[in-house]
């Protein structure tokens, strides 16, 4: 099963190595991971999308919560969260199909961030369904390279 | 010094733990890290922004390149890259200043993705300067929570 976990961690050396180690110990595969700053300079937020046995992921969550450096762990699959991902895609540009390509960008509200002689690079932010939709629509044109940020998320509402 | 490194890695268990371990071994502090899928389902791209001694970061890069699971390492600080980051910010909404707040969102092309009774949540994608600019402008309104994806990047041009 695929689940997304968000952890607030104190900025101490080795936090990420410890977390990655926990995932490995339970044979959970990390599909994506985003670690970045928060509103508090001493705290980072790590959002990981992992694939593994349900019981194993529960065990990982409990182990992470028990670590001194981890302040809080949320299971984003179980709660109400706004989740977003950023993707950069460099796609081949065939003059005969440029208009069509631009239409795809428009539908997905993808913005052009770079252009070469044979390729065009766009960025798009959205939930995972939209990111996968864009990739799916661009595949027939020829994707030259692609970079995804991994999911980030905040709780819905005021909390 | 702050430097950003991008690595293409084969999807094997423990890659991330190994990389995080290398950073730790040289006392380089991970400021942000984004690991996500690429155009090739067997390959992930890991972009890490690290802070540390210049010589140490050079050593880390060499060590990473020598690992079997690592296909390629690029120093994004040295090359010509399109870099982008995604940020979600939940900011307090004071009715008296809503119009002002909306203007900030417009200037930074931040989109509203959620709304509570007392807060408003926006997303923005941009280079690090713009992300930091938005955070700086929103601070006086009261940032309730914040999540950054860490930088992702693709080479400029057709390559």
């Amino acid at each position: 099963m695929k689940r997304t976990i968000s952890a607030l961690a104190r900025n101490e050396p080795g936090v990420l190595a410890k977390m990655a180690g926990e995932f490995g110990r339970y044979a959970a595969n990390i599909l994506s991971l985003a670690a970045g700053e928060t509103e508090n300079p001493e705290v980072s937020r790590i959002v990981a999308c992992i694939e593994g046995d349900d019981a194993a992921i529960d065990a990982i969550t409990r182990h992470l919560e028990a670590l001194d450096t981890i302040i809080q762990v949320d299971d984003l699959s179980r709660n109400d969260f706004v989740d977003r991902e950023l993707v950069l895609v460099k796609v081949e540009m065939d003059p005969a199909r440029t208009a069509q390509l631009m239409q795809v960008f428009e539908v997905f509200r993808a913005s052009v961030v770079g252009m070469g002689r044979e390729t065009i690079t766009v960025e798009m932010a959205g939930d995972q369904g939209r990111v996968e939709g864009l990739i799916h629509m661009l595949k027939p044109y020829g994707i030259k390279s692609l970079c995804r940020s991994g999911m980030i998320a905040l709780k819905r509402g005021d909390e």
Side-chain angles (χ1 to χ4, degrees), chain A:
Chain A
M1 216 199 137
K2 228 160 123 171
R3 265 160 70 183
T4 304
I5 278 170
S6 165
L8 282 174
R10 264 177 269 280
N11 285 340
E12 283 165 20
V15 182
L16 207 61
K18 248 185 237 171
M19 270 191 75
E22 282 297 324
F23 293 145
R25 205 148 65 96
Y26 287 92
N29 187 20
I30 303 174
L31 299 175
S32 79
L33 186 145
E37 296 161 59
T38 65
E39 64 280 13
N40 179 344
E42 274 152 37
V43 172
S44 293
R45 192 188 304 269
I46 300 161
V47 182
C49 184
I50 45 183
E51 197 169 31
D53 189 70
D54 235 13
I57 298 177
D58 287 337
I60 291 169
T61 308
R62 278 195 307 274
H63 268 90
L64 290 179
E65 271 172 340
L67 291 177
D68 271 353
T69 42
I70 305 286
I71 300 162
Q72 192 188 322
V73 181
D74 286 308
D75 186 335
L76 302 195
S77 339
R78 297 210 169 145
N79 284 294
D80 203 16
F81 285 84
V82 182
D83 63 286
R84 280 293 182 280
E85 191 176 0
L86 181 66
V87 64
L88 285 170
V89 191
K90 185 180 290 179
V91 63
E92 278 161 40
M93 205 172 34
D94 168 4
R97 298 205 288 178
T98 306
Q100 250 180 306
L101 194 57
M102 291 296 167
Q103 237 163 15
V104 175
F105 296 160
E106 214 181 297
V107 168
F108 284 90
R109 270 175 274 153
S111 334
V112 175
V113 291
M115 214 150 174
R117 269 182 301 178
E118 292 150 25
T119 62
I120 185 160
T121 304
V122 289
E123 70 168 12
M124 195 202 76
D127 57 30
Q128 292 204 301
R130 244 178 89 209
V131 169
E132 265 145 37
L134 175 70
I135 294 170
H136 178 76
M137 289 301 289
L138 293 181
K139 243 179 209 161
Y141 295 89
I143 293 180
K144 196 92 195 275
S145 47
L146 186 157
C147 192
R148 292 174 70 160
S149 69
M151 198 204 280
I152 61 168
L154 286 183
K155 275 191 188 159
R156 281 189 200 279
D158 290 326
E159 209 191 313

